[in-house]
Amino acid sequence: MSRRRLLGGSAAALGTGLLTACGSAAGDDAPLSFWNFYSPAPQQDPNLVAQSEWFGTAIQRWNSENRRQVEPVYMTGDQMNQRMPVAFASGDGPDIFLISPGDYLRYANGGVLEDLAPYMEQEAIDDYFPQALATRRDGDGIYGLPMEQEPLALFYDPDFLEAAGLSEGDLPSDWEQLLDLGQRLSEGSRTGLVLDVDPGYYQNFTFYPWLWQTGGDVIDPRSQTPVFDADGPRAALELFGRAIADGATPRTRPANGDIVGAFTSQFAAFWQTGVWDVQNLLLNAPDKRFGVMPLPPPPGGEQVTALGGWAWCVNARGTDPEAAARFVVSVLGSMDEQSIAHNAAWNSPTIKGNMPARASVDEVLEAEDAFEDERYRVFREDILPTGRAEPRFPPVVYKAVSDALQSVQLAGADPAEETERAQASLEGYLETYRGGSLI
């Protein structure tokens, strides 16, 4: 399941209030429940099976050495988005679960996340790349361990470009060139540029890099105050609005949102997506040529991308938070060679094909030439260093940005009016906000 599909359902639970989970009434021998969307996978797709087995190996290893067992509970991303807030509010949340940065504050502010730092060696904490761990920290506390980093980029189809009389030397270097190419290459069912158009956490995630490239932001990292009513956000909104208005980007994504189908049928020239689609294309269209490039900045601007990724968290009010924390740390946050090797296997192209969250894991993959494919090299050497962690904005902040983006992109609204409206909404919310740092 794609990251877009998983994050797309997050908005469904926006109305859920602050979490008030109570401790579980399970007995001393009850297994720890691990809610996830990987294992045990019901699908027969070889790659999904490999991902499921990766989780299964970690769980079986723990279960063979510990009295307190771990039991995986598989559900789809949509099911988790719908069930988790309700389960926590009723005091029946899972012991271990996966969250993205966008959901972090929902659970952190509800007081249900166990601090994993006391269970970790300092060497292991320092082994994480700062940007990978940033959205799961509060001071010295660590409330989730990421298993990956997922940078965004611009994928392109060389065959499409060549058919239009262009070469890779004509790749866009800034926004204006990107919009111009997108418009020139769009005709009939053929699309020049695919940007996400569906409201949700994922669309916001894809919007943030373009916003950051202007020097703008939603919330100022230092003052924690809204800064959305400014030139940078207005320019980024205008970019998305112009892409639709000028015909560079369609209102619905081609091939039902499937980049493999779109590229193999030459329905799209450029497509904004993440590192996960390198493996998707290599596995499902092995003979199809495709390229990867950094997101082009505005004229005179600097390249920036957003770094997503999933983290394992522990329910502080669950069956046995200490055992659950030790399990999570043993799999993802230990300097043990077995832990490092297992992390490397997950991020290798044979299983997930993401960028690692830890330096030691990156070293193992480099030694194994895991990044020898040119697309992975571009991600690792050119795109990842420009990355900034996906914001952990709570639902009200996400919604203000999403509403502005949708209004400009699909309804032709004035970017200046939308940034002003969003700014007012953000200021009103933050006047009474009491919770963790938004950045």
Side-chain angles (χ1 to χ4, degrees):
M1 183 175 290
S2 71
R3 187 172 194 275
R4 181 188 184 282
R5 177 79 181 276
L6 289 166
L7 286 184
S10 295
L14 288 178
T16 304
L18 198 64
L19 301 166
T20 56
C22 301
S24 171
D28 289 343
D29 295 328
L32 303 172
S33 59
F34 184 3
W35 286 19
N36 73 94
F37 35 79
Y38 289 106
S39 179
Q43 302 96 332
Q44 297 304 309
D45 179 283
N47 187 246
L48 296 181
V49 170
Q51 294 172 14
S52 176
E53 289 176 349
W54 183 89
F55 274 76
T57 297
I59 293 170
Q60 291 166 13
R61 185 178 297 141
W62 168 269
N63 287 347
S64 68
E65 299 172 354
N66 295 273
R67 179 185 64 83
R68 179 71 74 179
Q69 303 288 281
V70 173
E71 184 176 273
V73 179
Y74 174 86
M75 58 187 70
T76 67
D78 287 344
Q79 289 172 333
M80 281 191 67
N81 288 330
Q82 295 166 5
R83 293 177 56 182
M84 275 222 307
V86 176
F88 272 103
S90 64
D92 195 26
D95 296 292
I96 307 155
F97 53 101
L98 304 180
I99 62 171
S100 70
D103 269 335
Y104 171 81
L105 284 177
R106 181 199 304 274
Y107 298 98
N109 289 344
V112 298
L113 298 184
E114 178 78 359
D115 183 4
L116 304 177
Y119 303 93
M120 299 178 68
E121 306 169 64
Q122 187 61 46
E123 183 182 4
I125 295 175
D126 295 339
D127 190 45
Y128 275 92
F129 295 118
Q131 72 270 18
L133 206 54
T135 53
R136 284 87 175 189
R137 300 196 73 161
D138 186 3
D140 293 330
I142 299 173
Y143 298 93
L145 290 183
M147 55 181 178
E148 61 203 2
Q149 295 187 96
E150 294 182 318
L152 292 170
L154 201 62
F155 284 55
Y156 62 89
D157 180 357
D159 297 323
F160 191 122
L161 296 179
E162 289 176 6
L166 302 171
S167 69
E168 295 189 54
D170 298 307
L171 294 176
S173 62
D174 61 34
W175 288 6
E176 295 304 319
Q177 292 179 15
L178 178 63
L179 289 179
D180 179 63
L181 274 176
Q183 184 179 15
R184 286 165 51 195
L185 296 172
S186 294
E187 183 178 2
S189 61
R190 293 161 64 84
T191 295
L193 171 63
V194 179
L195 299 174
D196 203 271
V197 293
D198 298 327
Y201 267 103
Y202 180 79
Q203 188 191 32
N204 280 31
F205 171 57
T206 66
F207 172 70
Y208 294 134
W210 308 100
L211 167 61
W212 294 334
Q213 287 178 347
T214 70
D217 216 323
V218 179
I219 304 293
D220 179 72
R222 294 181 180 85
S223 66
Q224 296 285 295
T225 57
V227 290
F228 199 61
D229 189 15
D231 289 342
R234 285 191 285 272
L237 288 174
E238 184 182 11
L239 170 70
F240 271 61
R242 284 178 58 196
I244 295 287
D246 295 348
T249 295
R251 290 177 175 269
T252 58
R253 298 184 307 153
N256 198 30
D258 175 28
I259 189 173
V260 175
F263 272 22
T264 54
S265 301
Q266 291 191 26
F267 285 160
F270 296 95
W271 192 303
Q272 184 192 6
T273 184
V275 65
W276 57 86
D277 270 328
V278 173
Q279 185 197 57
N280 183 22
L281 284 158
L282 290 174
L283 287 175
N284 294 296
D287 298 325
K288 174 60 186 170
R289 293 195 303 156
F290 68 96
V292 170
M293 61 174 286
L295 300 175
E302 295 185 1
Q303 293 174 355
V304 183
T305 194
L307 303 175
W310 298 93
W312 295 16
C313 295
V314 170
N315 182 356
R317 304 174 188 176
T319 305
D320 188 342
E322 179 181 351
R326 289 192 295 107
F327 164 70
V328 169
V329 169
S330 71
V331 177
L332 295 181
S334 168
M335 293 306 297
D336 181 85
E337 289 185 6
Q338 194 173 60
S339 174
I340 294 171
H342 201 58
N343 275 260
W346 174 258
N347 287 283
S348 73
T350 58
I351 296 184
K352 190 69 186 294
N354 282 337
M355 298 292 103
R358 297 176 52 182
S360 62
V361 177
D362 184 77
E363 292 171 1
V364 170
L365 291 171
E366 183 178 20
E368 295 176 350
D369 290 330
F371 304 113
E372 63 179 347
D373 183 276
E374 61 179 305
R375 280 69 59 112
Y376 282 121
R377 286 204 309 273
V378 171
F379 265 108
R380 183 169 180 266
E381 298 173 7
D382 300 333
I383 298 174
L384 185 62
T386 71
R388 176 175 164 181
E390 177 185 356
R392 60 187 194 185
F393 295 147
V396 173
V397 177
Y398 140 76
K399 192 65 165 52
V401 176
S402 179
D403 287 348
L405 181 55
Q406 284 287 298
S407 295
V408 172
Q409 186 182 35
L410 299 180
D414 181 2
E417 294 179 1
E418 292 306 314
T419 55
E420 183 179 3
R421 182 179 292 111
Q423 178 80 8
S425 174
L426 295 171
E427 289 175 350
Y429 170 68
L430 291 178
E431 282 181 2
T432 58
Y433 174 75
R434 299 294 181 270
S437 168
L438 301 184
I439 302 250

